Amino acid sequence: DAGVTQSPTHLIKTRGQQVTLRCSPKSGHDTVSWYQQALGQGPQFIFQYYEEEERQRGNFPDRFSGHQFPNYSSELNVNALLLGDSALYLCASSLVGITMNTEAFFGQGTRLTVV
Amino acid sequence: AQTVTQSQPEMSVQEAETVTLSCTYDTSESDYYLFWYKQPPSRQMILVIRQEAYKQQNATENRFSVNFQKAAKSFSLKISDSQLGDAAMYFCAYRSGTGTASKLTFGTGTRLQVTL
């Protein structure tokens, strides 16, 4: 059973560029959440997708956007990259609607470096 | 808004000994979940243990156990018989709501070193 997979694993971009990160959830999961983890910090919630809609959003600017596809996979897009966007981006999947007791499974993340 | 605080940036323990990592949180909700995640150098967050707020009994998973003090809003992790493979960053996390409101709020982490 494949867990949560993210691509690419590493990425280097220039300031002002745009980037797309991809996530495939664990088999059977229908909800994808994205987190940004700056160096030496805990992950910060960016947003969550369920039924192809953004359901909840953290304190991130509109430069951060996303999408969920019918197969539950998701993309995170960041426009007009800033040096401060350099971080590890984590994707987590879970199953909605059964009980509160659904744990989130994380991928290995995408390390984004903006130069 | 909920906050999670980990006041120990780094901890060190000798192999086979016991160590306790601290976590406090702030919330006005009565029903929520608390988690400890481990993040090794491979970067993947791995769930260590979970505690439901409505359960008075402290959760236990093999060598890992928690001390959940709901009134004090404290949630510490005890690792017994520490092993070299336990060395990692440990994050305390809070989750409220159901379904689509299930975002996680993390603390800043504690780096655990395990020495011989």
Side-chain angles (χ1 to χ4, degrees):
Chain A
D1 177 24
V4 180
T5 58
Q6 293 187 241
S7 63
T9 55
H10 295 84
L11 202 53
I12 300 175
K13 288 287 190 178
T14 304
R15 276 179 299 175
Q17 285 188 317
Q18 179 264 345
V19 67
T20 297
L21 311 181
R22 295 176 176 82
C23 172
S24 293
K26 179 179 169 61
S27 178
H29 284 184
D30 58 6
T31 301
V32 172
S33 301
W34 287 92
Y35 293 83
Q36 180 195 65
Q37 186 178 15
L39 196 61
Q41 299 296 316
Q44 298 289 317
F45 176 75
I46 302 175
F47 44 52
Q48 181 185 75
Y49 277 84
Y50 171 66
E51 292 186 334
E52 303 180 47
E53 291 187 12
E54 183 182 294
R55 299 291 179 163
Q56 195 174 15
R57 189 179 184 92
N59 189 24
F60 280 82
D62 292 345
R63 297 186 299 108
F64 290 76
S65 63
H67 189 76
Q68 186 179 36
F69 299 94
N71 67 352
Y72 307 118
S73 67
S74 177
E75 290 182 347
L76 165 64
N77 301 293
V78 187
N79 294 322
L81 284 167
L82 304 174
L83 294 179
D85 295 332
S86 296
L88 178 68
Y89 288 84
L90 294 167
C91 171
S93 73
S94 56
L95 180 62
V96 165
I98 306 300
T99 69
M100 278 187 69
N101 204 18
T102 57
E103 63 181 89
F105 286 80
F106 283 82
Q108 289 190 302
T110 294
R111 173 73 68 191
L112 172 65
T113 302
V114 182
V115 297
Chain B
Q2 295 79 25
T3 59
V4 177
T5 302
Q6 293 179 252
S7 59
Q8 305 157 315
E10 289 192 17
M11 293 285 285
S12 183
V13 63
Q14 282 191 323
E15 198 177 18
E17 296 297 309
T18 296
V19 64
T20 298
L21 307 185
S22 300
C23 173
T24 59
Y25 60 95
D26 188 25
T27 183
S28 59
E29 299 174 330
S30 59
D31 200 9
Y32 50 86
Y33 284 74
L34 295 166
F35 305 85
W36 279 98
Y37 279 90
K38 170 184 177 181
Q39 188 177 40
S42 67
R43 309 182 319 201
Q44 187 169 16
M45 286 282 191
I46 301 166
L47 180 64
V48 173
I49 199 165
R50 171 181 58 216
Q51 175 77 43
E52 293 89 342
Y54 62 86
K55 290 187 177 179
Q56 292 186 340
Q57 185 173 6
N58 289 325
T60 299
E61 288 287 342
N62 301 314
R63 298 183 294 107
F64 299 87
S65 62
V66 299
N67 184 5
F68 175 47
Q69 301 290 327
K70 190 172 184 178
K73 296 180 181 175
S74 170
F75 182 60
S76 61
L77 174 69
K78 186 172 79 171
I79 306 174
S80 304
D81 186 24
S82 296
Q83 301 174 0
L84 294 177
D86 294 334
M89 285 292 293
Y90 285 82
F91 291 95
C92 179
Y94 172 101
R95 190 185 80 191
S96 67
T98 60
T100 57
S102 57
K103 74 170 188 177
L104 289 163
T105 301
F106 288 87
T108 53
T110 296
R111 181 174 301 281
L112 179 65
Q113 294 182 326
V114 181
T115 59
L116 293 172

